[in-house]
Amino acid sequence: MATHGLNQFDASVGHPAPAFDPLRLCVFTTIALISCILGPVAVLAFALVAIAGYAKARRGGLLRSRCKLGDTRLVLAYLSVIAVAAAVGIPFWVMLWMRILGG
């Protein structure tokens, strides 16, 4: 049985398309898990990191973002509102856990 010519690269066909890697889904699930466990503390941390990143990008000249809000000022305002809401929610979240764990 001759296998001549099998399993060889054919330039006329080209390279196969890379397989879909759902890495983003794994990342999103991990972020959701961290947020679920750490609650508003995680939301505040992610918001602060995002604010720092967008502020640096804006200082570097980025005026429009691929974010649905578009204008980086709107994105910064949105992230700031989320950060404040998370900071306000942390004491309530702590009280809830104290009540759950305290019996």
Side-chain angles (χ1 to χ4, degrees):
M1 181 170 183
T3 59
H4 180 70
L6 296 179
N7 202 22
Q8 293 184 2
F9 180 75
D10 184 351
S12 66
V13 175
H15 295 284
F20 172 70
D21 183 0
L23 173 64
R24 288 184 185 172
L25 300 176
C26 182
V27 170
F28 294 153
T29 302
T30 303
I31 292 170
L33 175 64
I34 291 169
S35 296
C36 184
I37 293 170
L38 298 179
V41 174
V43 175
L44 178 61
F46 285 122
L48 292 175
V49 168
I51 288 168
Y54 269 98
K56 181 178 179 181
R58 185 159 175 82
R59 284 191 304 272
L62 181 70
L63 300 178
R64 303 273 318 154
S65 171
R66 288 185 294 172
C67 175
K68 293 293 183 191
L69 295 173
D71 189 326
T72 53
R73 293 173 297 186
L74 290 175
V75 176
L76 285 164
Y78 164 75
L79 293 169
S80 297
V81 168
I82 297 299
V84 168
V88 168
I90 289 173
F92 297 104
W93 181 75
V94 169
M95 288 188 296
L96 174 70
W97 276 107
M98 289 175 65
R99 181 176 290 165
I100 290 172
L101 297 176

